[in-house]
Amino acid sequence: MPSFTLTRRTLLKTGTAAAAFAALGPAFLRQAAAQDADLAPYKSAQIDWQQVSGETITVAVIPASYFENLITLAPQFKALTGIDVRFEKIPPAQIRQKSVIDLTSKTGTYATHAADPMYYALYAANKWAEPLDTYLADKSLTDPAWFKLDDIIPAWRSANGIDGKLYGMPYDGEVTIQVYRKDLYDAKGLKPADTLEAYMSNAAALNTPNDRVWGAALRGVAGAGQNMYIYPSIFREFGGDWMKGGKLTVNGPEAEAALAWYVDIMKKYAPTAAANWNWPDIADAFSQGTVASYIDAHSSASVINNPEKSKVIGKVAYARWPKGPSGKRTTSIWNWGFPINSALPEKKRKATWLFIQWAASAETQARTAHKFAGPTKRSGVNRTSVWKDPDYIKLMNGFGENFVEATMGALQEDTDVDWRPRVPQWPAIGDTMATAIQSALSGQATIKAALDDAQRRIEPMMRG
């Protein structure tokens, strides 16, 4: 009895094709033909997708729509490769910790996981993750003409590289941009800010708390991906250098000026509660019409355009990060990437690479985005070619004026691979900095005292 994953092409290669067709009937033939058509774009790659058929791997992801779309397509990957993929959904707050525990213990529970770029330095230093260059260069595993690595957003690839080697393949990412209420700006004759100074001025002009409208909001809650998602960009735009003279430095004049700007705008023009807000809180407030502008991930556009909740649909526009005093724009270049767990045996490592190659391919990126049959479309696809697809552009521009231009402009021109210090000690450093920034935002410490204290705490970490 043949498996229901048997393809029409396989049947035709056997001497029993006629008998099998007769026994299985026209419904099966239609299914097999449809499956062949589904897999045809992948089978054009000059590799044997079935070379480790029968393997099973576990992939840890967060419970987000862009991964849900991928999970929906997993049966196609099974039909293509014969590899079973078991997905485990872990909340963002826990996935980093659980992954590090798995890598440290070398149990190989997760073949790959949704990884934060800031962790690759730690993974590389401990040889917990495989350099992907080896897999990309192996012609039996990768068809470079089909996979087209250069098509993947360069900024995200750079963020996932250590010492010139790629450790995680970007799957979905984001970039920080300016989001603003065009109707409010037009009413006051304002333009989106080109500089941080102008952004502050716009916030002042629009700040009318008595009417329940605040001028701006930025992430304030403490955390390496929270207030330390925003502050590093400001620090770099004020001319800050994390590795000043080869020494990790978080205090000094540039740092004080950057944190002063952050504290100033949050205290003067953001809702008081924003000191403890993460991005969903900001997007919710903006969608309810109580915040005139915010700077955050472009992916939050889907929240502020949710027709079931948002009151500002049709009134939203976008612009790139404002320039800092240094003349630079510095956005985050964050992405969820897939590394390969070094503790896996060889066949599972190959199976994991085939999964990563499939997930990151242009075909799967399109099928999980504008070609996805479900209601949720992705705004963080990893391919330049998809961002240029007229169907994808049409879909994305539904988020508001200038969305694609602002996002692509930021991705292509405003990135800084050293946006945050890429050192193995980052998890502890990020937490220390987050606490220092929170103490300054809350007024518990002066700006200088908060930064000097952070410097004192971080120096022993760098000594090992």
Side-chain angles (χ1 to χ4, degrees):
M1 182 75 179
S3 158
F4 282 104
T5 58
L6 193 61
T7 68
R8 179 171 174 269
R9 181 181 301 172
T10 306
L11 279 171
L12 288 170
K13 287 180 179 176
T14 70
T16 58
F21 284 146
L24 295 168
F28 175 81
L29 293 180
R30 285 195 296 272
Q31 179 184 341
Q35 187 179 83
D36 264 2
D38 278 347
L39 302 183
Y42 300 99
K43 289 182 175 178
S44 65
Q46 299 302 302
I47 59 170
D48 175 12
W49 286 100
Q50 292 273 338
Q51 59 187 284
V52 288
S53 177
E55 288 292 328
T56 298
I57 60 172
T58 299
V59 176
V61 297
I62 66 165
S65 59
Y66 37 82
F67 285 126
E68 297 289 352
N69 293 8
L70 185 69
I71 293 170
T72 301
L73 300 186
Q76 292 182 5
F77 177 71
K78 172 68 182 297
L80 177 69
T81 63
I83 300 167
D84 270 313
V85 180
R86 173 182 171 273
F87 287 94
E88 184 173 326
K89 298 176 194 174
I90 304 173
Q94 284 95 48
I95 195 168
R96 297 170 177 84
Q97 183 183 17
K98 291 193 73 168
S99 299
V100 167
I101 290 172
D102 180 48
L103 293 168
T104 305
S105 65
K106 299 187 183 301
T107 54
T109 300
Y110 304 122
T112 186
H113 64 277
D116 183 325
M118 288 307 298
Y119 278 61
Y120 291 127
L122 179 66
Y123 294 176
N126 291 285
K127 301 186 186 311
W128 290 340
E130 297 279 289
L132 299 185
D133 309 66
T134 305
Y135 297 83
L136 287 161
D138 186 337
K139 297 291 178 59
S140 72
L141 287 169
T142 308
D143 178 354
W146 179 84
F147 186 61
K148 294 182 174 63
L149 177 65
D150 289 347
D151 186 36
I152 295 178
I153 304 289
W156 292 338
R157 282 190 282 128
S158 295
N160 294 2
I162 301 295
D163 296 332
K165 294 181 179 178
L166 187 65
Y167 282 88
M169 188 62 69
Y171 167 73
D172 191 283
E174 61 189 33
V175 66
T176 38
I177 59 174
Q178 211 176 147
V179 185
Y180 66 97
R181 282 276 303 277
K182 189 172 186 308
D183 58 328
L184 299 182
Y185 273 55
D186 287 348
K188 294 272 187 179
L190 301 174
K191 295 180 179 178
D194 193 49
T195 65
L196 290 177
E197 184 180 13
Y199 190 77
M200 185 80 77
S201 176
N202 283 351
L206 294 163
N207 194 57
T208 53
N210 290 338
D211 298 327
R212 294 198 55 74
V213 176
W214 283 264
L218 302 174
R219 297 186 194 190
V221 67
Q226 314 304 333
N227 54 15
M228 274 301 282
Y229 178 85
I230 295 296
Y231 172 76
S233 292
I234 304 169
F235 172 70
R236 296 288 287 164
E237 289 199 343
F238 271 84
D241 179 0
W242 294 112
M243 301 303 294
K244 203 169 189 176
K247 175 187 174 185
L248 186 66
T249 304
V250 301
N251 60 351
E254 297 88 359
E256 290 173 24
L259 187 51
W261 185 92
Y262 190 10
V263 169
D264 208 23
I265 198 163
M266 290 291 281
K267 283 191 172 179
K268 289 181 178 176
Y269 308 123
T272 303
N276 292 307
W277 280 0
N278 193 2
W279 73 266
D281 307 299
I282 297 171
D284 283 345
F286 184 86
S287 67
Q288 294 307 301
T290 59
V291 169
S293 175
Y294 67 94
I295 299 175
D296 210 298
H298 81 284
S299 52
S300 64
S302 61
V303 176
I304 61 177
N305 281 282
N306 182 340
E308 295 180 359
K309 296 181 179 178
S310 179
K311 298 178 180 177
V312 299
I313 295 175
K315 302 175 181 177
V316 185
Y318 306 86
R320 287 157 58 184
W321 245 105
K323 295 175 190 171
S326 68
K328 288 178 57 177
R329 303 179 200 271
T330 306
T331 72
S332 72
I333 45 175
W334 194 87
N335 69 92
W336 285 119
F338 285 127
I340 297 178
N341 189 332
S342 292
L344 299 174
E346 183 180 5
K347 286 184 74 176
K348 281 195 184 295
R349 290 201 303 271
K350 288 183 176 179
T352 306
W353 170 249
L354 292 175
F355 166 77
I356 292 171
Q357 186 176 189
W358 168 80
S361 69
E363 184 64 27
T364 302
Q365 290 288 308
R367 291 186 186 197
T368 53
H370 55 297
K371 294 182 180 178
F372 186 65
T376 307
K377 314 298 182 185
R378 294 174 53 206
S379 63
V381 295
N382 71 0
R383 295 272 173 172
T384 302
S385 59
V386 177
W387 276 100
K388 292 179 178 177
D389 186 308
D391 290 338
Y392 188 69
I393 291 173
K394 181 179 179 182
L395 180 73
M396 291 297 102
N397 276 338
F399 285 142
E401 183 176 304
N402 204 40
F403 180 75
V404 172
E405 291 84 349
T407 301
M408 288 309 291
L411 276 172
Q412 293 174 333
E413 299 178 41
D414 304 341
T415 56
D416 179 350
V417 73
D418 293 318
W419 166 59
R420 292 184 286 187
R422 297 186 298 163
V423 294
Q425 298 88 341
W426 168 254
I429 291 171
D431 289 341
T432 301
M433 281 299 297
T435 301
I437 291 166
Q438 186 183 46
S439 68
L441 287 173
S442 65
Q444 293 177 334
T446 66
I447 289 164
K448 186 175 189 310
L451 293 169
D452 288 348
D453 184 56
Q455 184 69 34
R456 280 193 293 273
R457 291 173 183 273
I458 287 169
E459 285 178 358
M461 299 176 194
M462 296 303 293
R463 289 197 292 269

